[in-house]
Amino acid sequence: MRPRPQVAFGSLLVLVTFAACGAADRPGEASAAVAAPALPERFGLGTPVDEARIAAWDVDIRPDGTGLPPGSGSVEDGAAVYLLRCAACHGPTGTEGPNNRLVGTEAWEDFPATRTVGNYWPFATTLYDYIVRAMPQDSPGTLSADETYAVIAWILHRNELIGADAVMDASTLPAVEMPARDRFVVDDRLESNVVR
Amino acid sequence: MSKSGQGVPRSIERRTWLAAALSGVAASSLLRTRFDAVDLLAQQSEPADPTKVMGRLVSELGSRAPGEQPRRQAGPAAPSSSSRTPLGDLHGIITPADLHFERHHAGVPAIDPESYELLIHGMVERPLVFTLPDLKRFPSVSRIHFLECSGNGGGAFNPARMPTDITPQAMDGLLSTSEWTGVPLATLLREVGVRPQASWIVAEGGDAAMLNRSIPLEKAMDDALIAYGQNGEGLRPEQGYPARVFLPGWEGNTSVKWVRRIEVTDQPVMSREETSNYTDPLKGGSARQFSFVMDAKSVITFPTFPYALPERGWWEVQGLAWSGRGTITGVDISIDGGRTWAPARLQQPVLPLAAVRFTFPWNWDGREAMLLSRCSDETGYVQPSAQEYIAARGEQTRYHSNFIRAWKVTPDGTVTYGLGDLL
């Protein structure tokens, strides 16, 4: 519930305050101090929501595939989606830009030369989670589930992670093995006063 | 102001002590230095004696003095871009809200406060939505904290070509400090009732990137805020209006702006911003993930490029220090490239997880000097040298760059970024 402004009273108050400036009464002088009331565990604010409302907003895709919708897409279909909806920004083969490189299969030891799906991303499901939110950048969230699976299939294939005839869906996508999966380590900086 | 061109040539001509060789980009910012302000104002209109004419009348909205026109430095005009706080042009610790740095992944959304809702669901007893007025009815807190993008300072080291003509704004301006007002996230999580199995939350923004980050429940229950106020007013749209997550001391990207949904879970979602982005490759082939805390760091803001010292004598070295690990306990200054150090004065207030202003009186003898600052915090962490930092992480980590910066003052008074000379 929103507090309602009391316009007429408010402007009157301003005038009175100016006139009486300096002559404010002193709160607390006459009455004894009273402790602030103890706060409750809950305030009873907020409005309950049903599952449909939550489902409409919850687009998270987890590494185990939780959240992936029905549908599927092939590498071949993905090539068409990519050309139409992505290539202008990410380049004809996903390497030319002008925006982020999506294809990079260079193996690396010390540091990755490129940091992309093929050699740096630890989870294939992240592609679905991200593309539904943010891509194509000029019209985010406008691909159908089939188109999304298809363009992901194309990206994974170009990164040499799945074959040319692979089909991505809610069960095959989480199963794609990502080369950089084991590169990621937990932050250990706080265990020390010395830079790590 | 400088863009209008008013008075620019004359001003530069008269300021003989300003380094003449500065580029056009740098020259435009020369007119915004603390030394130029009064001078520039005086030249503009030769105003009448203000003690003999009536002044301007009261107004509903104030404006800056014509001679004080600090500006953010904006990156490329693209939906995913950033702009940087003019660290060298500000005083104290608070960043004016319109100069707070920006980092957006899909531009600044226009969100109607009347229809805004924050949904909290997942492993909870009662999924709820909160309107903005709902959020404001809960007990509120106001706290002064820094916010730093973990990419801040990524340009401070470049093995191919060390920069020299770089400002502290361009190098470390993804750092700002505000008084944030809001409701503790713990209060909202108690309202929905977190189930015992939960260990993470995932926060999501209502922008066109629907940016999402996983945050350990421990932090959410500790000092996390859902902030709706900044420096006494409502959040600026660029800072997440109507409401944002604010995680004191943690890398900026986790303080999700325009927050519209929080899911309580038992695992991270492994979003793009916590896998492909905002992870730190380390020498030896690993990559650090969930590197939330911003380490202790200090930067000198004066004297630095593009300012120049017109004459020898007393000057005040100034800067900011902050740590995501706790409270800053000291800042040391070296004027000889790190051979000797002396303590700087810390201006009050010195607050946990907030930037601290340090000052150091310096009687410049006109000889070449190399100015360094090194801070430490209450945990005993000491800001590392570039050499220590590179030895630990290698040369290619661009996030969390907190090593000691260096500023070289030459006898003609010019100041440039001097780390390259020390390596």
Side-chain angles (χ1 to χ4, degrees):
Chain A
M1 176 80 66
R2 183 186 184 75
R4 281 176 298 120
Q6 301 181 44
V7 177
F9 177 70
S11 47
L12 185 68
L13 194 68
V14 169
L15 293 177
V16 171
T17 312
F18 274 129
C21 190
D25 54 351
R26 286 171 226 137
E29 202 169 71
S31 59
V34 177
L39 295 180
E41 175 72 7
R42 293 173 50 208
F43 294 85
L45 301 175
T47 309
V49 281
D50 59 19
E51 281 307 317
R53 169 68 195 276
I54 295 169
W57 271 24
D58 181 1
V59 293
D60 288 359
I61 310 298
R62 295 191 193 161
D64 65 3
T66 305
L68 282 170
S72 66
S74 66
V75 173
E76 194 188 336
D77 290 347
V81 175
Y82 182 84
L83 196 64
L84 204 61
R85 307 295 301 273
C86 325
C89 296
H90 293 289
T93 69
T95 58
E96 301 89 344
N99 294 125
N100 298 42
R101 193 177 164 140
L102 303 183
V103 176
T105 54
E106 303 89 339
W108 51 285
E109 280 179 21
D110 228 21
F111 284 103
T114 57
R115 285 205 259 159
T116 181
V117 175
N119 64 0
Y120 195 75
W121 285 45
F123 300 99
T125 48
T126 304
L127 280 166
Y128 206 108
D129 184 75
Y130 182 68
I131 291 169
V132 160
R133 292 168 189 284
M135 291 294 138
Q137 198 184 44
D138 49 5
S139 50
T142 54
L143 298 189
S144 69
D146 287 347
E147 288 171 323
T148 308
Y149 281 119
V151 80
I152 289 172
W154 184 85
I155 293 171
L156 292 171
H157 174 63
R158 299 297 303 194
N159 280 288
E160 298 172 16
L161 300 172
I162 60 173
D165 51 3
V167 170
M168 287 295 108
D169 60 27
S171 65
T172 54
L173 179 60
V176 175
E177 281 182 33
M178 303 296 276
R181 174 77 182 82
D182 295 328
R183 299 271 188 177
F184 288 83
V185 295
V186 175
D187 184 10
D188 65 348
R189 289 173 304 149
L190 297 189
E191 292 158 24
S192 172
N193 282 339
V194 179
V195 63
R196 286 188 168 178
Chain B
M1 142 100 24
S2 53
K3 286 210 180 72
S4 75
Q6 254 184 334
V8 169
R10 235 176 359 130
S11 168
I12 288 180
E13 204 170 274
R14 281 180 37 173
R15 308 221 61 87
T16 47
W17 50 266
L18 283 172
L22 300 174
S23 69
V25 179
S28 64
S29 59
L30 290 178
L31 298 169
R32 298 185 217 119
T33 70
R34 59 190 76 190
F35 303 107
D36 271 4
V38 174
D39 192 50
L40 181 64
L41 191 57
Q43 290 169 42
Q44 271 184 338
S45 51
E46 307 294 342
D49 178 352
T51 67
K52 296 292 178 287
V53 290
M54 221 37 74
R56 190 157 59 66
L57 302 184
V58 295
S59 54
E60 287 188 330
L61 197 60
S63 58
R64 291 198 170 94
E68 298 283 342
Q69 298 291 324
R71 287 287 183 272
R72 289 193 286 231
Q73 185 176 10
S80 180
S81 192
S82 64
S83 73
R84 290 159 184 262
T85 293
L87 296 181
D89 297 329
L90 303 179
H91 309 288
I93 59 172
I94 299 292
T95 310
D98 58 357
L99 297 174
H100 192 292
F101 81 85
E102 301 169 272
R103 174 71 179 105
H104 320 305
H105 284 266
V108 181
I111 298 176
D112 173 15
E114 299 287 333
S115 53
Y116 169 80
E117 283 178 335
L118 168 61
L119 167 64
I120 306 185
H121 71 106
M123 299 173 78
V124 301
E125 301 299 334
R126 297 165 291 278
L128 295 171
V129 290
F130 301 100
T131 63
L132 187 57
D134 286 342
L135 294 177
K136 291 179 178 173
R137 277 179 70 178
F138 286 101
S140 60
V141 297
S142 294
R143 297 181 190 141
I144 296 175
H145 289 303
F146 76 82
L147 187 70
E148 185 182 20
C149 175
S150 65
N152 198 28
F157 176 79
N158 180 348
R161 194 191 79 83
M162 284 299 289
T164 52
D165 53 350
I166 186 170
T167 65
Q169 174 175 20
M171 191 157 67
D172 286 311
L174 298 174
L175 174 275
S176 307
T177 299
S178 305
E179 182 194 58
W180 302 98
T181 299
V183 48
L185 183 49
T187 304
L188 300 180
L189 291 175
R190 274 197 292 276
E191 197 73 22
V192 295
V194 173
R195 297 229 170 97
Q197 307 87 331
S199 51
W200 290 79
I201 66 165
V202 181
E204 173 184 288
D207 61 334
M210 288 171 64
L211 189 140
N212 55 341
R213 283 294 306 249
S214 309
I215 298 157
L217 183 62
E218 201 184 342
K219 179 72 172 177
M221 294 300 290
D222 180 15
D223 58 357
L225 298 181
I226 297 299
Y228 47 75
Q230 179 184 6
N231 295 344
E233 58 180 346
L235 286 182
R236 295 275 168 141
E238 305 99 295
Q239 259 61 68
Y241 184 81
R244 72 177 303 166
V245 176
F246 190 87
L247 304 180
W250 282 25
E251 65 180 15
N253 184 258
T254 60
S255 284
V256 175
K257 293 184 285 190
W258 315 292
V259 62
R260 73 162 194 172
R261 187 172 70 89
I262 291 176
E263 181 168 2
V264 179
T265 72
D266 58 0
Q267 57 183 284
V269 69
M270 299 296 180
S271 74
R272 181 249 183 176
E273 311 301 347
E274 58 204 23
T275 54
S276 167
N277 267 6
Y278 303 108
T279 52
D280 321 328
L282 304 173
K283 65 166 188 184
S286 63
R288 184 174 279 150
Q289 194 181 20
F290 300 122
S291 46
F292 295 125
V293 170
M294 298 308 294
D295 287 321
K297 176 170 170 181
S298 69
V299 297
I300 291 173
T301 56
F302 182 84
T304 52
F305 183 84
Y307 303 155
L309 298 179
E311 58 186 23
R312 61 187 62 189
W314 284 101
W315 294 95
E316 186 172 63
V317 179
Q318 279 208 14
L320 294 167
W322 63 96
S323 173
R325 295 174 177 236
T327 307
I328 289 291
T329 48
V331 177
D332 293 325
I333 300 291
S334 174
I335 58 165
D336 55 13
R339 274 188 291 280
T340 59
W341 296 88
R345 195 174 68 87
L346 301 188
Q347 276 186 5
Q348 293 296 331
V350 178
L351 300 169
L353 311 178
V356 174
R357 170 79 47 177
F358 65 83
T359 63
F360 182 83
W362 179 41
N363 192 356
W364 183 43
D365 60 10
R367 280 185 293 196
E368 182 167 309
M370 187 72 86
L371 305 179
L372 274 52
S373 67
R374 179 184 66 193
C375 68
S376 44
D377 69 24
E378 62 177 326
T379 71
Y381 181 93
V382 180
Q383 184 181 9
S385 69
Q387 287 90 337
E388 290 167 328
Y389 177 94
I390 292 165
R393 296 189 191 164
E395 289 190 347
Q396 299 201 30
T397 303
R398 287 288 174 276
Y399 295 116
H400 293 276
S401 162
N402 73 322
F403 52 78
I404 295 170
R405 279 77 167 114
W407 296 96
K408 179 167 147 182
V409 183
T410 45
D412 66 356
T414 55
V415 187
T416 51
Y417 182 59
L419 187 66
D421 286 15
L422 296 181
L423 296 176

